[in-house]
Amino acid sequence: MKDINDALEGVFGYGGMALAVLVGWSVWWVVRYVRADAMTRQSIRQAMRIRRTWKRLAPMLKLSATDKTPTMAAALSSTDNKPIKPRVLVPALKVTHDAYGVIARANCLPGVGLEQFQKAAPHLADAWRCTRVAVTQDKPGQVVIRGVRLDPLKFKTEHQPTGEVLDEIARWDLGLDEYAQPVSVDLTQVPGVTVAGLPGFGKTSLINRLICDWAPSPAIQFVCADGKVSTAKEGDYAHLVKRMFDFVGDDLEEANALFRRLVELRRARVSAAEHILGVQSMWEVGPSAGWPLVVVIIDEAHTYFRDHKGSDPKTKKLAALAAENARLVEDLVKKGRSMGILVILATQKSTGDAIPTFIRDVCPIGLSFAQKTAEAAVAALGEDIREWPDANPINLQDRAYVGVASMNHQSQPGFTRIRTPYVSGQDSAAIAQQTAHLTNDPADLLTGIDLTKNAPDSTAPPMAA
């Protein structure tokens, strides 16, 4: 009798523990639900519905497999020689949520893999009441299904710089894609970036974020030529000039002098690389405070390259300056990569008359905000954009898409749309003020070094960029 009582006490003891765990989990879930905002609550309910209906939905969408081989238990339990009924296997599904929708991870089965899930994506969107669903490979044997109930591209976002040095130098955090997933690009070994789009749709704000996020690092220095202003006190970069070692406006002669200085810096670095770095390419050791990555920002680039027509002396002079500006920037883009020079060119329409094709086509990364014509979209993103009509920037002219850009992402095929966040002038001014002491002219860092000792032989072929 005592043994029975002890057994009952043990059962009730374990039962009490299980009940306590269940109550604790329920309380935690209710608190999380109550504290969530309205959008997240809707996603929580959506995730619950997906879990509850998955086993029924999966076979209807042919996302299940039939196993005709009986298990050992089924074979042993069958005593009347009747055929054993095949088992229907459904992929295991784990669902999480966020404000925009759900993220589900599913295990693959024989005959049910990435291709089958991608084929079923439109039907999953209907069943899960999502605006769109995307399926990608997570790891071998597992897929990630991202469903968004709300279009992330239509929700304006803001970014507040932390003032901390990023973990990865030269990684550019751009914003959220159309599935609310963060998008970034690695600008290591990248010679140039082009940014195009109609006025007021987010080009400068995108570059402002880059400066604010990278400014806390002494291993990065900035210089800017802004073709839409005359002085550093004007325009969108006025708050950030303190973190730039030089700045010019729309004067072609001043811009020409700046581009000449930068080309001279590149040549000096070529001569000094072996002596200072011990290697021919800065990227073999990475940027540092002594040899920083130089980010050259050329906004409203067409100002500096436009072909001036006319026979009067003033027009001829402007035409000559524009032609030389193009030649100098071409030098920076084609030969500056290995020396740690990155050129970012922004313009409204990146056709050949705005950014010469011998510069534009060397820049491997291109982004485009809203465009009015197919010609402008192709100039910004290449001919392939014609095959991706949903991502074409001519569809971004609605004011709801201010801050949304299309780009050809490095890590995936085709094009994706990105919601870039807004950075306030107050925040950018604060970052510039906090990091102004880090500003150095990269040319000054080479002063006092005997460059003739390791200068390349003038008779030898030029070093590859």
Side-chain angles (χ1 to χ4, degrees):
M1 191 67 178
K2 182 180 179 182
D3 292 340
I4 295 174
N5 289 335
D6 290 342
L8 290 174
E9 288 178 5
V11 169
F12 284 113
Y14 287 123
M17 290 177 60
L19 181 61
V21 170
L22 180 61
V23 171
W25 178 86
S26 301
V27 171
W28 171 82
W29 190 93
V30 170
V31 170
R32 186 180 64 162
Y33 182 82
V34 171
R35 295 182 63 182
D37 57 68
M39 288 171 55
T40 304
R41 289 182 190 176
Q42 194 170 350
S43 295
I44 292 173
R45 296 194 298 270
Q46 182 183 25
M48 292 175 60
R49 184 175 65 253
I50 290 171
R51 296 188 195 98
R52 187 175 65 251
T53 60
W54 174 242
K55 287 190 176 181
R56 182 179 181 185
L57 176 64
M60 296 169 64
L61 298 182
K62 299 181 181 178
L63 295 177
S64 62
T66 302
D67 185 0
K68 296 182 180 180
T69 304
T71 63
M72 183 177 292
L76 292 175
S77 63
S78 178
T79 57
D80 50 5
N81 295 323
K82 290 183 179 180
I84 299 174
K85 190 176 180 180
R87 293 183 303 149
V88 176
L89 305 180
V90 174
L93 190 76
K94 294 182 179 180
V95 186
T96 57
H97 65 271
D98 60 17
Y100 296 98
V102 295
I103 303 172
R105 285 177 167 79
N107 293 330
C108 298
L109 296 173
V112 182
L114 176 63
E115 182 181 349
Q116 287 70 36
F117 275 99
Q118 288 178 333
K119 187 177 179 180
H123 306 295
L124 287 171
D126 292 335
W128 292 356
R129 301 172 193 173
C130 290
T131 300
R132 62 179 75 95
V133 164
V135 182
T136 56
Q137 188 87 50
D138 185 25
K139 58 185 179 180
Q142 190 175 82
V143 297
V144 175
I145 310 168
R146 172 55 166 165
V148 289
R149 187 183 65 261
L150 303 170
D151 187 352
L153 300 178
K154 292 186 177 181
F155 288 83
K156 294 184 178 181
T157 57
E158 292 190 14
H159 173 68
Q160 186 170 17
T162 63
E164 299 178 359
V165 179
L166 298 179
D167 294 334
E168 295 183 63
I169 292 180
R171 178 161 293 278
W172 189 3
D173 294 322
L174 295 169
L176 300 178
D177 68 10
E178 48 204 306
Y179 294 95
Q181 300 302 294
V183 178
S184 63
V185 292
D186 185 3
L187 297 183
T188 302
Q189 295 277 15
V190 172
V193 177
T194 60
V195 182
L198 296 174
F201 272 81
K203 298 188 300 297
T204 304
S205 181
L206 174 73
I207 297 172
N208 274 348
R209 179 186 179 174
L210 171 71
I211 299 173
C212 289
D213 285 349
W214 287 11
S217 173
I220 301 176
Q221 298 297 335
F222 303 93
V223 60
C224 181
D226 187 358
K228 62 179 177 291
V229 301
S230 298
T231 68
K233 296 180 180 179
E234 305 172 47
D236 300 300
Y237 299 105
H239 297 304
L240 297 166
V241 169
K242 292 180 181 178
R243 188 58 179 88
M244 299 175 181
F245 67 86
D246 205 348
F247 180 97
V248 297
D250 57 3
D251 187 285
L252 263 62
E253 287 192 73
E254 293 181 2
N256 187 261
L258 174 62
F259 298 150
R260 280 179 176 275
R261 280 186 56 207
L262 293 172
V263 170
E264 289 169 3
L265 170 65
R266 180 198 65 77
R267 290 172 177 164
R269 281 189 164 191
V270 170
S271 299
E274 288 280 1
H275 181 79
I276 297 177
L277 303 178
V279 294
Q280 289 188 342
S281 173
M282 181 275 286
W283 292 111
E284 294 183 43
V285 294
S288 63
W291 193 293
L293 171 65
V294 178
V295 181
V296 183
I297 298 162
I298 307 177
D299 204 343
E300 300 297 334
H302 54 273
T303 302
Y304 307 107
F305 307 136
R306 183 167 66 88
D307 186 14
H308 295 264
K309 302 292 185 180
S311 56
D312 60 286
K314 183 175 180 181
T315 302
K316 286 183 177 181
K317 182 180 179 180
L318 291 174
L321 286 170
E324 188 173 13
N325 287 342
R327 180 184 64 80
L328 293 170
V329 173
E330 178 188 16
D331 180 286
L332 294 173
V333 174
K334 290 185 175 179
K335 301 178 183 179
R337 172 185 56 82
S338 62
M339 292 299 105
I341 297 175
L342 167 67
V343 182
I344 300 176
L345 301 111
T347 188
Q348 296 175 22
K349 192 170 73 168
S350 56
T351 47
D353 57 336
I355 301 178
T357 55
F358 52 78
I359 297 175
R360 185 192 69 196
D361 294 346
V362 181
C363 299
I365 296 177
L367 299 94
S368 180
F369 292 86
Q371 295 288 359
K372 276 193 173 182
T373 65
E375 175 198 15
V378 170
L381 301 172
E383 285 286 343
D384 287 349
I385 191 61
R386 298 184 190 273
E387 307 299 322
W388 296 80
D390 289 345
N392 197 309
I394 61 175
N395 298 321
L396 300 177
Q397 296 181 54
D398 191 299
R399 298 304 297 181
Y401 291 115
V402 170
V404 177
S406 295
M407 73 170 294
N408 187 349
H409 198 272
Q410 295 168 312
S411 63
Q412 61 189 44
F415 295 82
T416 186
R417 295 177 296 173
I418 304 162
R419 161 59 70 177
T420 63
Y422 171 73
V423 179
S424 72
Q426 184 177 0
D427 286 336
S428 60
I431 289 293
Q433 183 67 35
Q434 294 169 16
T435 61
H437 66 284
L438 300 175
T439 304
N440 281 306
D441 189 328
D444 293 343
L445 301 175
L446 300 177
T447 303
I449 298 172
D450 183 7
L451 302 181
T452 60
K453 189 174 182 180
N454 292 286
D457 186 354
S458 59
T459 62
M463 183 189 305

